[in-house]
Amino acid sequence: MNRRLLRTFAGIVALLAIVYAGDLAVVRYRIAANRDPFGQAIVQSWYVIHQKNGKIDYQMGDQETAACIRSLFPHLGYSPCWYLNRHTEKRINI
């Protein structure tokens, strides 16, 4: 039973590594072929201000356009566009 569990775990890790490598290969191919793998998402920033009395104050910041990459996983320092489109708020702790 223990070996079976270990083999299953190793298979899942290997499958994820193959999917990640394939995703990176597609991104690199798009860059080499002058196809734009990058996108943009609008992100609303919020300033989280911690006060001395223990209360927290929120202030709305400016909307900004964040660069993202059209892929399943983050690559080249960019977040995937599908993730940024679902997480449109950015909190900045002060």
Side-chain angles (χ1 to χ4, degrees):
M1 181 71 176
N2 197 10
R3 282 189 154 202
R4 181 184 233 177
L5 185 63
L6 187 60
R7 280 188 178 176
T8 303
F9 180 71
I12 291 172
V13 169
L15 182 64
L16 282 174
I18 290 169
V19 171
Y20 183 83
D23 192 41
L24 180 60
V26 168
V27 169
R28 298 263 182 195
Y29 172 75
R30 286 181 184 167
I31 292 172
N34 286 331
R35 296 181 183 166
D36 191 19
F38 301 102
Q40 294 179 344
I42 297 174
V43 178
Q44 176 67 48
S45 61
W46 288 89
Y47 293 103
V48 181
I49 303 168
H50 298 275
Q51 297 177 355
K52 288 183 180 181
N53 59 4
K55 292 185 179 181
I56 298 175
D57 186 28
Y58 296 95
Q59 289 186 358
M60 186 183 299
D62 294 331
Q63 282 187 347
E64 46 187 67
T65 304
C68 58
I69 194 157
R70 293 185 197 107
S71 65
L72 294 175
F73 299 102
H75 296 292
L76 308 173
Y78 295 100
S79 295
C81 289
W82 67 265
Y83 181 81
L84 279 183
N85 286 328
R86 286 171 177 79
H87 297 87
T88 57
E89 291 183 355
K90 180 175 81 170
R91 295 184 181 188
I92 302 169
N93 289 319
I94 297 178

